Amino acid sequence: MAVRLDDMEDVNRRLAYWEGPLLAIETSCDETSAAVLDGRSILSNVVSSQVDLHAQWGGIVPEAAARAHIETIGPVVDEAVRAARLEPGRITAVAATSRPGLVGALSVGLTYAKGLAHALRSPFLGVHHLEGHVLSSLACEPAPPFPHVCLVVSGGHTELIQVDAPFRYRLLGQTLDDAAGEAFDKGARLLGLGYPGGKAIEQVAEGGDAKRYPLPRGLSGETADFSFSGLKTALLRLVEREGSRLRIADAAASLQEAIVSVLSERAVQACVRQGLRHLTVVGGVDANRALRARLSVLGEREGVRVFVPDPSLCTDNAAMIGLAASLRLAAGERHGWDLDAQPQAELPGPPKPWDATIGTSV
Ligand code: KG4
Ligand code: ZN
């Protein structure tokens, strides 16, 4: 079935965004990021990545991440304000990722944001990182209509979520073990391709034969869940068995094919099962061209239109946190100074009213 592109209303016209410059901060993992938004316009989105720092250890070291955030957060916020051509005093609200993530890393951005909000006497809000990823698709032109299905694929997440509207989420399925990005990263390590692995696998896979080494797809049957741990074990066995005979490009292509096929098939199937014709794909793994290409072919075949935000909004960034914060602040939600960083947290429900007597939303 062909996908009609001409009948979509601009959903953003119906949504209420926070008016006035909003500063958002993201430090949940290994990117220090700050963004300034006005309504849904992204005035600046500065990202400083710690990838080179962690590459020496082959993965993220939480203590090192927190220290690097401390060093970088001030200059990154200054740069975001400068790039937005604003005087800092004109900022009318401050938000930061508060959950889930590495607690030490989260605390740096959260504490900095609280300090700024306190100095500016402006409202403050803690944002759920995953909600930021989910709502990053609102920056697409045109934005995806609601309800739609969202595939979140990053180093820490692999989830299929039905998004009925902002703040109204239903988890359709998720990984039972490793995240898709983790599967790329661990696979790359086994193949000696370094960290982070997704991009390296994609590059090496380009000249490879994806059919040479058949690898398992995890769970079978009609499910919206994923499992990537069997894939990692099968790849390890393959590396041990083939030794120096292993064709790295073919192994990388086979690994990429196993991950990409299961992600794209399950995401499009989930839309069909839910009777929905719009799919958004967000998170760092979304940078993978094989995944984008497969989703577009399958989507076209099943009558599902696929929305992919700009790559700068797919990997961790503060602009997506700002979009989520803007909608929640406009709906009246605020947090007090006692808000703590949380390593794990469910996706939040609708905004709660601000209770000035206790100084937080209840
Ligand atoms: O969203 P993100 O920047 O950070 C998290 O929230 O985790 O995602 C990072 C993940 C890493 O696992 C990385 O290997 C993967 O995204 N990634 C890719 C590609 N670029 C980044 N995976 C496959 N292909 C890529 N081109
Ligand atoms: Zn993320």
Side-chain angles (χ1 to χ4, degrees):
M1 194 206 314
V3 184
R4 294 216 351 239
L5 306 181
D6 52 358
D7 58 354
M8 292 207 322
E9 60 155 327
D10 181 2
V11 298
N12 274 309
R13 269 195 297 173
R14 276 191 289 124
L15 298 177
Y17 286 90
W18 178 258
E19 282 175 28
L22 156 72
L23 175 75
I25 293 176
E26 152 67 37
T27 61
S28 67
C29 193
D30 62 342
E31 259 97 31
T32 316
S33 181
V36 177
L37 282 79
D38 198 345
R40 72 176 271 267
S41 301
I42 298 166
L43 304 182
S44 64
N45 186 24
V46 176
V47 180
S48 167
S49 174
Q50 303 173 2
V51 158
D52 294 341
L53 171 72
H54 298 289
Q56 61 183 304
W57 299 297
I60 294 163
V61 176
E63 172 65 24
R67 281 169 182 265
H69 284 309
I70 290 170
E71 283 170 20
T72 324
I73 186 77
V76 165
V77 168
D78 286 352
E79 178 58 25
V81 173
R82 213 173 14 245
R85 298 176 188 282
L86 273 185
E87 288 300 316
R90 289 202 40 223
I91 289 164
T92 55
V94 184
T97 311
S98 62
R99 62 204 192 282
L102 304 170
V103 167
L106 282 168
S107 300
V108 176
L110 195 57
T111 308
Y112 200 93
K114 284 183 200 169
L116 270 180
H118 190 265
L120 293 165
R121 299 184 186 281
S122 73
F124 159 73
L125 190 77
V127 176
H128 193 288
H129 181 80
L130 202 53
E131 183 170 54
H133 274 303
V134 170
L135 296 179
S136 66
S137 64
L138 289 172
C140 291
E141 292 291 352
F146 298 102
H148 62 249
V149 172
C150 176
L151 171 66
V152 189
V153 269
S154 70
H157 294 280
T158 303
E159 271 115 9
L160 274 168
I161 297 164
Q162 178 163 331
V163 187
D164 290 324
F167 325 133
R168 305 212 174 261
Y169 312 112
R170 279 189 264 173
L171 186 65
L172 301 176
Q174 61 187 324
T175 182
L176 305 180
D177 37 61
D178 293 346
E182 219 176 336
F184 271 109
D185 293 337
K186 288 180 176 171
R189 197 178 313 165
L190 285 172
L191 296 176
L193 296 175
Y195 170 88
K199 207 170 170 184
I201 294 271
E202 180 174 7
Q203 279 164 355
V204 174
E206 210 140 291
D209 174 5
K211 295 206 175 76
R212 178 174 301 273
Y213 303 119
L215 291 168
R217 304 289 196 262
L219 311 173
S220 56
E222 247 200 34
T223 174
D225 288 331
F226 303 88
S227 168
F228 293 108
S229 62
L231 177 61
K232 181 183 58 191
T233 313
L235 187 67
L236 174 62
R237 298 274 172 276
L238 177 72
V239 170
E240 287 171 350
R241 194 182 70 225
E242 294 291 311
S244 59
R245 287 191 315 261
L246 185 75
R247 295 179 187 224
I248 301 288
D250 295 348
S254 302
L255 176 74
Q256 177 171 269
E257 171 60 24
I259 300 171
V260 161
S261 62
V262 80
L263 288 176
S264 46
E265 281 161 22
R266 233 151 259 179
V268 173
Q269 275 166 13
C271 288
V272 172
R273 251 198 322 275
Q274 300 301 115
L276 300 177
R277 293 174 50 224
H278 300 97
L279 171 69
T280 65
V281 189
V282 300
V285 179
D286 186 30
N288 188 280
R289 278 169 290 142
L291 176 63
R292 287 171 179 237
R294 188 71 54 84
L295 280 164
S296 124
V297 170
L298 289 184
E300 180 75 22
R301 198 179 74 195
E302 300 293 337
V304 171
R305 183 172 179 191
V306 183
F307 294 76
V308 183
D310 186 81
S312 64
L313 295 173
C314 285
T315 47
D316 285 350
N317 68 90
M320 68 182 192
I321 300 303
L323 284 170
S326 183
L327 289 167
R328 284 190 175 268
L329 285 162
E333 193 164 66
R334 311 277 186 274
H335 287 128
W337 309 129
D338 57 347
L339 184 76
D340 279 332
Q342 287 175 263
Q344 282 166 348
E346 300 274 299
L347 266 170
K352 295 174 185 149
W354 163 253
D355 184 339
T357 57
I358 60 168
T360 194
S361 286
V362 290

